[in-house]
Amino acid sequence: MRERAIIAEAGANARSGTTRLSVFVIAFVLLIGGLAAADTAVVSGILIDAEEFRISGAATYRVIAHNGIVGSRCEAVGRVGGSAQAGGALRQGEPIRASAMPDTRLPVWEVTSGVLDLLTHVAPHATESGAGVWITGDLAGNLGLAPGDTFHTDAGLAEVAGVFTWPDDGRTRDIGFSVLAPVPASGHFSQCWLHVWPADREVAHLLYTTVSGQQNNPEFGQLNTTLGIAFDALADLDGRLTRHVSAAAALAGILIGWAATRLRRLEIASALHARARKSDLMLQHVLEATTWIIPGLLIGAALIVGYSGMNQPEALPDLLRLSAFPLIAGAAGAVIGTIAAVAITRERHLFALFKSR
């Protein structure tokens, strides 16, 4: 058979329903798309847990030594790079009273610029506008303030440069409902914070280098310990139950391709009896298989895009690359199953197949 005739025959079978296109599209989406979606869901869950661990402050470490932290050293640790992503020093300042809340003494923390950088990692929805003080979202709500606004205090007029949330999720409450006043990194401070991601306590031990020689027993720990002391996302990914999903998808594809072709073994045996070449029949049936493989791939990918877009939009490219492996493995398996089913069919089977139809 010529290539044009093979393509025409495959197209005719797809249009007439001989290929059972809709049945095998559904089978492909349910089995192979389902396996890819299951793995995507597991990986998405691990990424969500990792993000929750990070923004809760569990990956942010601190060392406490009253007036024993060298501010310049703390800022330097925050610029080491690698997993040490941001760090800065803090010390308590004189409390203030806002004119709108005269009965409440507001804690003031003097912080270096690295602390403000660190807030973008552990304080969801941090917003900023220009220079001035930073306040928590709760305080901003009570005072009716937003970035760029000013408010009167007993220490003078204060401009709000930024607002950050500080949830009551187990993290230290030191800077909760407080005012952060940026100051130069010169002099000594009481605390040094360092955000380390991926979480690594060995890297976090760099904080000890920020303590001056007069301090013997600085306190070291996490901002939040409610989610544990460590989170190894790579280990969780390597050990997930769905890590072998591509192999399972390939096997499922082989079974679908085999079933789709074996249902037509009488037709294949009859074509062999009419002197059709087996290689031509293989090509024809592979072409027919692509009519349900390609829609199955597109539908499966669309479902994964929709799921990932709702749950992990920022990780969508990585999740798509991950889901491509089982989808492609399933498609390759379907082609292999199709070829194998044609290969084992013999002309001599024609009479037996005809009798048993």
Side-chain angles (χ1 to χ4, degrees):
M1 294 174 67
R2 293 182 179 179
E3 287 79 2
R4 185 176 298 177
I6 294 172
I7 294 172
E9 181 70 15
N13 286 337
R15 289 190 299 271
S16 67
T18 303
T19 304
R20 299 179 176 87
L21 189 150
S22 59
V23 172
F24 291 106
V25 167
I26 293 172
F28 189 97
V29 171
L30 290 178
L31 289 177
I32 296 167
L35 287 169
D39 190 42
T40 300
V42 170
V43 172
S44 179
I46 293 172
L47 295 178
I48 290 172
D49 290 344
E51 182 66 5
E52 182 181 358
F53 187 90
R54 186 184 69 79
I55 66 173
S56 73
T60 300
Y61 302 84
R62 65 175 180 170
V63 62
I64 302 174
H66 181 67
N67 205 35
I69 304 296
V70 181
S72 57
R73 293 184 192 172
C74 183
E75 282 285 305
V77 166
R79 295 192 294 268
V80 166
S83 59
Q85 296 187 353
L90 309 86
R91 65 188 174 209
Q92 283 191 295
E94 289 296 322
I96 61 173
R97 296 180 188 272
S99 299
M101 299 173 60
D103 296 331
T104 303
R105 287 165 58 87
L106 302 177
V108 173
W109 285 87
E110 296 179 347
V111 301
T112 62
S113 60
V115 173
L116 304 181
D117 293 336
L118 186 147
L119 289 179
T120 63
H121 298 282
V122 297
H125 315 301
T127 56
E128 62 177 309
S129 174
V133 299
W134 283 59
I135 59 176
T136 61
D138 291 340
L139 180 55
N142 285 357
L143 295 175
L145 298 173
D149 292 343
T150 57
F151 66 104
H152 292 277
T153 75
D154 58 357
L157 191 65
E159 182 174 355
V160 179
V163 176
F164 64 97
T165 57
W166 201 252
D168 188 9
D169 56 1
R171 67 183 67 197
T172 177
R173 300 305 301 166
D174 287 358
I175 63 172
F177 207 75
S178 64
V179 176
L180 305 186
V183 296
S186 58
H188 287 76
F189 293 77
S190 298
Q191 298 187 30
C192 182
W193 291 8
L194 180 64
H195 182 72
V196 181
W197 191 251
D200 188 334
R201 291 182 74 87
E202 294 301 318
V203 174
H205 285 161
L206 288 171
L207 286 170
Y208 285 113
T209 65
T210 69
V211 181
S212 63
Q214 293 84 358
Q215 299 291 326
N216 295 323
N217 296 303
E219 180 184 339
F220 173 84
Q222 298 163 258
L223 287 190
N224 192 343
T225 58
T226 56
L227 298 180
I229 63 172
F231 187 95
D232 192 339
L234 293 178
D236 287 353
L237 289 172
D238 290 341
R240 70 189 190 279
L241 293 175
T242 56
R243 63 188 181 279
H244 300 306
V245 73
S246 292
L251 178 59
I254 290 172
L255 293 176
I256 296 172
W258 175 275
T261 308
R262 287 295 288 170
L263 286 173
R264 297 168 60 191
R265 58 191 182 277
L266 175 58
E267 174 191 332
I268 297 170
S270 178
L272 291 171
H273 183 70
R275 298 296 182 266
R277 291 185 301 180
K278 184 164 286 189
S279 60
D280 291 341
L281 293 175
M282 286 181 180
L283 177 58
Q284 174 194 326
H285 282 269
V286 167
L287 289 173
E288 291 183 36
T290 60
T291 64
W292 50 262
I293 290 174
I294 292 175
L297 283 172
L298 294 176
I299 294 171
L303 291 174
I304 291 169
V305 168
Y307 174 85
S308 302
M310 290 188 296
N311 292 277
Q312 284 282 287
E314 68 282 353
L316 181 58
D318 292 328
L319 290 175
L320 279 179
R321 282 194 292 270
L322 182 73
S323 64
F325 290 106
L327 290 174
I328 293 172
V335 172
I336 293 170
T338 299
I339 292 172
V342 174
I344 69 164
T345 304
R346 299 285 187 270
E347 179 188 353
R348 64 175 181 270
H349 299 154
L350 178 61
F351 183 69
L353 290 171
F354 184 80
K355 284 183 64 178
S356 62
R357 67 191 174 97

